[in-house]
Amino acid sequence: MGKWGKRIGYGIGDLGCNLVFSTMASYLMVFYTDVFGITAAAAGTMMLVTKFVDAFTDTGMGLIVDRTHSKYGQGRPYFLLGAVPFAIFTFLTFYIPNLGSGGKLVWAYITYCLLCTAYTVVNIPLNTIVPRLTSDIHERDILVSTRMVCAMVGTAIVMSITEPLVRFFGNGNEARGYLITMTVYGIAAMCIFFITFASTKEVVPPTINQKHSSLKEDFKGLTGQAWILFLLNLFYFSLYVVRSTTVIYYFKYNLGRTDWLSLVGILGILSGLPMLLLLPTLEKKYSKRSLMFFSILLYIAGDLLIFVGKNSAFCLLAGLVITGLGIYGIFGITFAMQPDVIDYSEYKKNASVAGLIAAFQGFFVKGGMGLTSFVIGAFLKNGGYVANVVQTEKALSYIQICFIWIPIVLCILIAICTYFYKLDSLRKEMTQVLEARRKGIENEV
């Protein structure tokens, strides 16, 4: 298989994840409040509480990956093992049982937890294997960018065709429409994970075997740079959820432009494509740190343009394009940092903890999503939001805070974390040291 076959085969794994992940970020709150039949506060609380379960499943999955040594590699086997459960739990999450309000809430808790666990099984290995696919730094950047483009395509699919599919399959019955649409997404994701397994091969071994290490020793392998990466994931995915969720509320209620939702989804997402395509080239000329600051400034500029130009169609659409460039710049750079952070643990701590790093990333990602959903639910409740009616001025102002001002605060927090990132200057030295260690191991064998 050629280089692009491997790149696309790896990248589409995140397309499969995002068919469901992006729906959870963008539509699950709306589904729970407007279709499933629970309150915004209850839905937000559920999404927060279930993250405590993720704390255990993500960490456990990371430890399992670090201790897996099969003929297929450390991460690849789990694309096969997790594919079918991922499809099944997607279906169950969007199935509405004939139960009372209490029973439905319990069902929501259980199925949402199961879906998050299935996501963990396939997504943590996807995060860990880049350093195992190649030791070439530029090739890693291309793999990450390919993955980000595929993730963006998955998000674009969700944002542009989910509502039309729900209407088509539901034919006036939103519950049936969501169920059939998400079943299609789940089956498609399952098939994609099979393709990712078949298209990738782990060829770069770690410089140390973690098979017999203790949990305490694994935790010692985490560096300060790893914690910076975790916080970046927390704040980025909080930003992602705020933008993806509240854009629906903002355009539906504040602007009264429900007919724009598909266009908004396409512009806000596909506008990031040029950034993702350019990132491998830009990363050869500029540091990841500098590119992150630039992307943050882009997002804030676009956000403010939407705010000041809310009565202008041109300003609204231009603002969405600019924020799209900014948010996908942050997205791509955050994930491009991850292989460097994994290598840094091997270089600095002599520890192979890719799975644990990916586990904490996953936990902070889901924690960011859950905490943000809780905050959004609380804001909507305190603002007096009531589904599917004309909103009060107070409710509209609270929606605006969620869509405009909370993202700016999150961008500032991302900038603060980025200030302490220092691996750009160490990248060349890390590569030389790790390659020398691998050659030493090969010579001993």
Side-chain angles (χ1 to χ4, degrees):
M1 181 177 291
K3 279 189 175 181
W4 275 107
K6 294 177 182 178
R7 291 168 181 170
I8 294 173
Y10 167 72
I12 62 172
D14 222 3
L15 189 156
C17 288
N18 270 274
L19 286 176
V20 175
F21 179 89
S22 293
T23 305
M24 291 163 63
S26 301
Y27 288 98
L28 193 58
M29 177 70 82
V30 176
F31 170 77
Y32 278 142
T33 58
D34 294 12
V35 182
F36 194 86
I38 57 179
T39 66
T45 301
M46 181 202 71
M47 291 180 182
L48 177 62
V49 170
T50 54
K51 299 310 154 192
F52 290 102
V53 177
D54 284 340
F56 294 99
T57 58
D58 285 1
T59 303
M61 190 65 207
L63 295 172
I64 289 170
V65 169
D66 284 336
R67 287 159 175 75
T68 298
H69 300 279
S70 73
K71 64 179 180 179
Y72 300 117
Q74 289 185 294
R76 288 178 64 230
Y78 300 103
F79 300 141
L80 290 181
L81 293 175
V84 174
F86 189 83
I88 292 172
F89 296 141
T90 298
F91 167 83
L92 292 176
T93 299
F94 286 85
Y95 175 78
I96 303 177
N98 186 21
L99 301 170
S101 58
K104 288 169 72 174
L105 186 59
V106 171
W107 177 269
Y109 267 86
I110 293 172
T111 55
Y112 184 66
C113 281
L114 290 173
L115 179 55
C116 288
T117 300
Y119 178 86
T120 293
V121 171
V122 294
N123 192 257
I124 283 183
L126 196 68
N127 286 336
T128 64
I129 65 172
V130 170
R132 304 294 164 240
L133 298 179
T134 178
S135 58
D136 183 274
I137 304 306
H138 183 57
E139 179 63 19
R140 288 182 181 181
D141 289 339
I142 294 175
L143 282 167
V144 170
S145 289
T146 302
R147 177 186 171 187
M148 296 304 101
V149 170
C150 290
M152 182 193 66
V153 170
T155 303
I157 289 170
V158 167
M159 292 299 291
S160 59
I161 72 170
T162 296
E163 283 204 31
L165 285 179
V166 169
R167 289 195 301 269
F168 174 77
F169 289 127
N171 193 25
N173 184 335
E174 277 193 295
R176 183 176 64 189
Y178 270 106
L179 181 62
I180 297 175
T181 299
M182 295 312 301
T183 299
V184 171
Y185 286 173
I187 293 172
M190 177 184 68
C191 296
I192 287 170
F193 297 142
F194 292 152
I195 294 171
T196 298
F197 172 82
S199 303
T200 55
K201 186 177 182 182
E202 298 180 38
V203 296
V204 180
T207 59
I208 187 171
N209 190 333
Q210 295 292 115
K211 189 172 183 179
H212 302 294
S213 65
S214 67
L215 179 61
K216 183 178 179 181
E217 290 171 335
D218 283 359
F219 272 91
K220 288 181 179 179
L222 297 177
T223 65
Q225 296 298 295
W227 289 103
I228 289 172
L229 179 68
F230 302 153
L231 290 173
L232 285 173
N233 276 269
L234 171 69
F235 296 135
Y236 166 74
F237 279 95
S238 295
L239 173 64
Y240 173 80
V241 171
V242 169
R243 184 178 190 271
S244 299
T245 301
T246 59
V247 69
I248 298 173
Y249 290 102
Y250 190 75
F251 275 78
K252 180 177 180 179
Y253 295 112
N254 291 58
L255 303 181
R257 298 180 184 268
T258 54
D259 55 321
W260 275 32
L261 290 181
S262 292
L263 176 62
V264 165
I266 293 171
L267 279 179
I269 297 165
L270 293 185
S271 58
L273 181 60
M275 179 65 79
L276 292 179
L277 293 176
L278 284 172
L279 272 181
T281 301
L282 292 173
E283 286 165 346
K284 293 175 73 174
K285 297 181 179 180
Y286 306 101
S287 68
K288 293 181 177 72
R289 194 167 175 265
S290 298
L291 291 171
M292 181 70 89
F293 286 134
F294 175 69
S295 298
I296 290 167
L297 289 175
L298 271 180
Y299 186 91
I300 292 175
D303 207 28
L304 292 176
L305 180 59
I306 291 172
F307 174 68
V308 299
K310 56 189 173 185
N311 295 320
S312 165
F314 173 80
C315 288
L316 287 172
L317 297 178
L320 285 169
V321 170
I322 295 171
T323 55
L325 287 168
I327 199 168
Y328 276 96
I330 298 170
F331 185 33
I333 297 159
T334 298
F335 277 86
M337 289 175 174
Q338 190 218 35
D340 294 341
V341 171
I342 290 173
D343 280 352
Y344 187 62
S345 285
E346 287 194 44
Y347 163 81
K348 186 75 173 179
K349 300 279 191 173
N350 201 32
S352 177
V353 288
L356 188 62
I357 288 172
F360 271 94
Q361 272 189 279
F363 172 65
F364 275 78
V365 166
K366 293 172 185 175
M369 292 179 67
L371 181 61
T372 305
S373 296
F374 173 78
V375 170
I376 292 172
F379 260 77
L380 293 178
K381 178 183 178 182
N382 291 333
Y385 168 80
V386 179
N388 300 316
V389 301
V390 176
Q391 304 300 319
T392 64
E393 285 299 317
K394 183 180 179 182
L396 293 175
S397 68
Y398 274 58
I399 291 172
Q400 180 173 272
I401 290 171
C402 288
F403 182 66
I404 300 292
W405 303 112
I406 290 178
I408 290 178
V409 172
L410 290 169
C411 281
I412 293 171
L413 292 172
I414 291 170
I416 292 171
C417 290
T418 303
Y419 177 80
F420 294 99
Y421 180 78
K422 65 177 185 180
L423 298 188
D424 290 312
S425 60
L426 291 174
R427 182 61 266 181
K428 185 176 180 180
E429 181 181 338
M430 285 194 297
T431 300
Q432 292 172 345
V433 170
L434 293 177
E435 285 297 323
R437 289 181 190 173
R438 291 188 185 102
K439 287 179 181 178
I441 293 172
E442 291 173 1
N443 290 336
E444 290 176 6
V445 174

